[in-house]
PDB file of all heavy atoms in Angstrom:
ATOM      1  N   GLU A 139      15.714  -2.573  -8.277  1.00  0.00           N
ATOM      2  CA  GLU A 139      15.548  -1.495  -7.405  1.00  0.00           C
ATOM      3  C   GLU A 139      16.376  -0.237  -7.767  1.00  0.00           C
ATOM      4  O   GLU A 139      17.658  -0.416  -7.797  1.00  0.00           O
ATOM      5  CB  GLU A 139      15.733  -1.924  -5.871  1.00  0.00           C
ATOM      6  CG  GLU A 139      15.605  -0.784  -4.937  1.00  0.00           C
ATOM      7  CD  GLU A 139      15.768  -1.108  -3.474  1.00  0.00           C
ATOM      8  OE1 GLU A 139      16.408  -2.241  -3.342  1.00  0.00           O
ATOM      9  OE2 GLU A 139      15.273  -0.338  -2.588  1.00  0.00           O
ATOM     10  N   ASP A 140      15.708   0.925  -8.062  1.00  0.00           N
ATOM     11  CA  ASP A 140      16.564   2.071  -8.534  1.00  0.00           C
ATOM     12  C   ASP A 140      16.871   2.961  -7.211  1.00  0.00           C
ATOM     13  O   ASP A 140      15.896   3.552  -6.636  1.00  0.00           O
ATOM     14  CB  ASP A 140      15.710   2.860  -9.413  1.00  0.00           C
ATOM     15  CG  ASP A 140      16.550   3.972 -10.016  1.00  0.00           C
ATOM     16  OD1 ASP A 140      17.592   4.364  -9.470  1.00  0.00           O
ATOM     17  OD2 ASP A 140      16.089   4.724 -11.072  1.00  0.00           O
ATOM     18  N   GLU A 141      18.002   2.872  -6.688  1.00  0.00           N
ATOM     19  CA  GLU A 141      18.392   3.516  -5.454  1.00  0.00           C
ATOM     20  C   GLU A 141      18.984   4.977  -5.790  1.00  0.00           C
ATOM     21  O   GLU A 141      19.595   5.600  -4.816  1.00  0.00           O
ATOM     22  CB  GLU A 141      19.341   2.728  -4.698  1.00  0.00           C
ATOM     23  CG  GLU A 141      18.698   1.435  -4.077  1.00  0.00           C
ATOM     24  CD  GLU A 141      19.761   0.770  -3.087  1.00  0.00           C
ATOM     25  OE1 GLU A 141      20.861   0.883  -3.287  1.00  0.00           O
ATOM     26  OE2 GLU A 141      19.343   0.018  -2.273  1.00  0.00           O
ATOM     27  N   THR A 142      18.852   5.471  -6.874  1.00  0.00           N
ATOM     28  CA  THR A 142      19.409   6.810  -7.318  1.00  0.00           C
ATOM     29  C   THR A 142      19.207   7.765  -6.194  1.00  0.00           C
ATOM     30  O   THR A 142      19.980   8.425  -5.770  1.00  0.00           O
ATOM     31  CB  THR A 142      18.996   7.270  -8.725  1.00  0.00           C
ATOM     32  OG1 THR A 142      19.273   6.230  -9.648  1.00  0.00           O
ATOM     33  CG2 THR A 142      19.603   8.519  -9.020  1.00  0.00           C
ATOM     34  N   GLU A 143      17.894   8.022  -5.969  1.00  0.00           N
ATOM     35  CA  GLU A 143      17.482   9.170  -4.993  1.00  0.00           C
ATOM     36  C   GLU A 143      18.054   8.925  -3.709  1.00  0.00           C
ATOM     37  O   GLU A 143      18.532   9.797  -3.004  1.00  0.00           O
ATOM     38  CB  GLU A 143      15.980   9.413  -5.107  1.00  0.00           C
ATOM     39  CG  GLU A 143      15.529   9.967  -6.390  1.00  0.00           C
ATOM     40  CD  GLU A 143      14.046  10.342  -6.277  1.00  0.00           C
ATOM     41  OE1 GLU A 143      13.514  10.321  -5.182  1.00  0.00           O
ATOM     42  OE2 GLU A 143      13.360  10.597  -7.299  1.00  0.00           O
ATOM     43  N   ILE A 144      17.837   7.737  -3.106  1.00  0.00           N
ATOM     44  CA  ILE A 144      18.307   7.493  -1.758  1.00  0.00           C
ATOM     45  C   ILE A 144      19.784   7.561  -1.632  1.00  0.00           C
ATOM     46  O   ILE A 144      20.360   8.082  -0.564  1.00  0.00           O
ATOM     47  CB  ILE A 144      17.690   6.076  -1.202  1.00  0.00           C
ATOM     48  CG1 ILE A 144      17.788   6.016   0.252  1.00  0.00           C
ATOM     49  CG2 ILE A 144      18.498   4.950  -1.861  1.00  0.00           C
ATOM     50  CD1 ILE A 144      16.722   6.910   0.870  1.00  0.00           C
ATOM     51  N   ARG A 145      20.480   7.115  -2.627  1.00  0.00           N
ATOM     52  CA  ARG A 145      21.989   7.194  -2.584  1.00  0.00           C
ATOM     53  C   ARG A 145      22.398   8.731  -2.596  1.00  0.00           C
ATOM     54  O   ARG A 145      23.405   9.094  -1.840  1.00  0.00           O
ATOM     55  CB  ARG A 145      22.600   6.459  -3.670  1.00  0.00           C
ATOM     56  CG  ARG A 145      22.359   4.910  -3.528  1.00  0.00           C
ATOM     57  CD  ARG A 145      23.233   4.111  -4.573  1.00  0.00           C
ATOM     58  NE  ARG A 145      22.917   2.621  -4.423  1.00  0.00           N
ATOM     59  CZ  ARG A 145      23.638   1.765  -5.040  1.00  0.00           C
ATOM     60  NH1 ARG A 145      24.752   2.041  -5.808  1.00  0.00           N
ATOM     61  NH2 ARG A 145      23.353   0.488  -4.906  1.00  0.00           N
ATOM     62  N   HIS A 146      21.748   9.466  -3.398  1.00  0.00           N
ATOM     63  CA  HIS A 146      22.100  10.872  -3.408  1.00  0.00           C
ATOM     64  C   HIS A 146      21.720  11.501  -2.107  1.00  0.00           C
ATOM     65  O   HIS A 146      22.443  12.446  -1.637  1.00  0.00           O
ATOM     66  CB  HIS A 146      21.317  11.562  -4.582  1.00  0.00           C
ATOM     67  CG  HIS A 146      21.795  11.325  -5.938  1.00  0.00           C
ATOM     68  ND1 HIS A 146      23.221  11.079  -6.301  1.00  0.00           N
ATOM     69  CD2 HIS A 146      21.186  11.163  -7.072  1.00  0.00           C
ATOM     70  CE1 HIS A 146      23.300  10.895  -7.466  1.00  0.00           C
ATOM     71  NE2 HIS A 146      22.074  10.908  -8.072  1.00  0.00           N
ATOM     72  N   ALA A 147      20.682  11.169  -1.436  1.00  0.00           N
ATOM     73  CA  ALA A 147      20.181  11.664  -0.266  1.00  0.00           C
ATOM     74  C   ALA A 147      21.306  11.366   0.952  1.00  0.00           C
ATOM     75  O   ALA A 147      21.566  12.223   1.737  1.00  0.00           O
ATOM     76  CB  ALA A 147      18.910  11.072   0.257  1.00  0.00           C
ATOM     77  N   ALA A 148      21.825  10.174   0.912  1.00  0.00           N
ATOM     78  CA  ALA A 148      22.873   9.857   1.841  1.00  0.00           C
ATOM     79  C   ALA A 148      24.113  10.688   1.638  1.00  0.00           C
ATOM     80  O   ALA A 148      24.644  11.273   2.690  1.00  0.00           O
ATOM     81  CB  ALA A 148      23.190   8.392   1.684  1.00  0.00           C
ATOM     82  N   GLN A 149      24.520  10.971   0.534  1.00  0.00           N
ATOM     83  CA  GLN A 149      25.661  11.843   0.228  1.00  0.00           C
ATOM     84  C   GLN A 149      25.275  13.330   0.667  1.00  0.00           C
ATOM     85  O   GLN A 149      26.185  14.010   1.257  1.00  0.00           O
ATOM     86  CB  GLN A 149      26.094  11.913  -1.307  1.00  0.00           C
ATOM     87  CG  GLN A 149      26.594  10.494  -1.791  1.00  0.00           C
ATOM     88  CD  GLN A 149      27.850  10.111  -0.986  1.00  0.00           C
ATOM     89  OE1 GLN A 149      28.701  10.942  -0.634  1.00  0.00           O
ATOM     90  NE2 GLN A 149      27.977   8.881  -0.674  1.00  0.00           N
ATOM     91  N   ALA A 150      24.093  13.726   0.357  1.00  0.00           N
ATOM     92  CA  ALA A 150      23.660  15.068   0.873  1.00  0.00           C
ATOM     93  C   ALA A 150      23.753  15.180   2.456  1.00  0.00           C
ATOM     94  O   ALA A 150      24.113  16.195   2.978  1.00  0.00           O
ATOM     95  CB  ALA A 150      22.297  15.350   0.357  1.00  0.00           C
ATOM     96  N   ALA A 151      23.263  14.144   3.046  1.00  0.00           N
ATOM     97  CA  ALA A 151      23.273  14.133   4.520  1.00  0.00           C
ATOM     98  C   ALA A 151      24.652  14.343   5.100  1.00  0.00           C
ATOM     99  O   ALA A 151      24.917  15.054   6.059  1.00  0.00           O
ATOM    100  CB  ALA A 151      22.581  12.938   5.101  1.00  0.00           C
ATOM    101  N   ILE A 152      25.608  13.604   4.446  1.00  0.00           N
ATOM    102  CA  ILE A 152      27.027  13.742   4.771  1.00  0.00           C
ATOM    103  C   ILE A 152      27.543  15.138   4.582  1.00  0.00           C
ATOM    104  O   ILE A 152      28.186  15.693   5.483  1.00  0.00           O
ATOM    105  CB  ILE A 152      27.920  12.662   4.077  1.00  0.00           C
ATOM    106  CG1 ILE A 152      27.364  11.240   4.469  1.00  0.00           C
ATOM    107  CG2 ILE A 152      29.364  12.830   4.426  1.00  0.00           C
ATOM    108  CD1 ILE A 152      27.949  10.173   3.584  1.00  0.00           C
ATOM    109  N   GLY A 153      27.263  15.608   3.429  1.00  0.00           N
ATOM    110  CA  GLY A 153      27.611  16.958   3.185  1.00  0.00           C
ATOM    111  C   GLY A 153      27.108  17.951   4.097  1.00  0.00           C
ATOM    112  O   GLY A 153      27.808  19.000   4.479  1.00  0.00           O
ATOM    113  N   GLN A 154      25.870  17.890   4.393  1.00  0.00           N
ATOM    114  CA  GLN A 154      25.208  18.777   5.382  1.00  0.00           C
ATOM    115  C   GLN A 154      25.883  18.725   6.727  1.00  0.00           C
ATOM    116  O   GLN A 154      26.087  19.756   7.371  1.00  0.00           O
ATOM    117  CB  GLN A 154      23.731  18.578   5.409  1.00  0.00           C
ATOM    118  CG  GLN A 154      22.993  18.968   4.232  1.00  0.00           C
ATOM    119  CD  GLN A 154      21.541  18.262   4.180  1.00  0.00           C
ATOM    120  OE1 GLN A 154      21.163  17.638   5.136  1.00  0.00           O
ATOM    121  NE2 GLN A 154      20.916  18.402   3.018  1.00  0.00           N
ATOM    122  N   ALA A 155      26.174  17.561   7.152  1.00  0.00           N
ATOM    123  CA  ALA A 155      26.777  17.362   8.570  1.00  0.00           C
ATOM    124  C   ALA A 155      28.178  18.074   8.468  1.00  0.00           C
ATOM    125  O   ALA A 155      28.618  18.657   9.489  1.00  0.00           O
ATOM    126  CB  ALA A 155      26.967  15.809   8.837  1.00  0.00           C
ATOM    127  N   LEU A 156      28.942  17.843   7.359  1.00  0.00           N
ATOM    128  CA  LEU A 156      30.242  18.455   7.327  1.00  0.00           C
ATOM    129  C   LEU A 156      30.204  20.042   7.286  1.00  0.00           C
ATOM    130  O   LEU A 156      30.935  20.673   7.882  1.00  0.00           O
ATOM    131  CB  LEU A 156      30.962  17.883   6.104  1.00  0.00           C
ATOM    132  CG  LEU A 156      31.440  16.458   6.126  1.00  0.00           C
ATOM    133  CD1 LEU A 156      31.927  16.078   4.808  1.00  0.00           C
ATOM    134  CD2 LEU A 156      32.490  16.269   7.217  1.00  0.00           C
ATOM    135  N   ALA A 157      29.184  20.406   6.481  1.00  0.00           N
ATOM    136  CA  ALA A 157      28.958  21.942   6.305  1.00  0.00           C
ATOM    137  C   ALA A 157      28.572  22.645   7.649  1.00  0.00           C
ATOM    138  O   ALA A 157      29.011  23.725   7.990  1.00  0.00           O
ATOM    139  CB  ALA A 157      27.942  22.290   5.327  1.00  0.00           C
ATOM    140  N   ALA A 158      27.869  21.888   8.463  1.00  0.00           N
ATOM    141  CA  ALA A 158      27.502  22.301   9.769  1.00  0.00           C
ATOM    142  C   ALA A 158      28.449  22.154  10.900  1.00  0.00           C
ATOM    143  O   ALA A 158      28.296  22.692  12.010  1.00  0.00           O
ATOM    144  CB  ALA A 158      26.098  21.713  10.173  1.00  0.00           C
ATOM    145  N   GLY A 159      29.520  21.527  10.530  1.00  0.00           N
ATOM    146  CA  GLY A 159      30.513  21.308  11.578  1.00  0.00           C
ATOM    147  C   GLY A 159      30.234  20.216  12.569  1.00  0.00           C
ATOM    148  O   GLY A 159      30.824  19.998  13.661  1.00  0.00           O
ATOM    149  N   ALA A 160      29.064  19.424  12.218  1.00  0.00           N
ATOM    150  CA  ALA A 160      28.789  18.322  13.136  1.00  0.00           C
ATOM    151  C   ALA A 160      29.783  17.099  13.055  1.00  0.00           C
ATOM    152  O   ALA A 160      29.866  16.278  13.954  1.00  0.00           O
ATOM    153  CB  ALA A 160      27.391  17.830  12.761  1.00  0.00           C
TER     154      ALA A 160
END
Side-chain angles (χ1 to χ4, degrees):
E139 182 174 16
D140 186 350
E141 292 187 336
T142 300
E143 291 187 11
I144 198 71
R145 294 187 183 192
H146 287 327
Q149 294 300 320
I152 297 166
Q154 290 163 8
L156 291 171

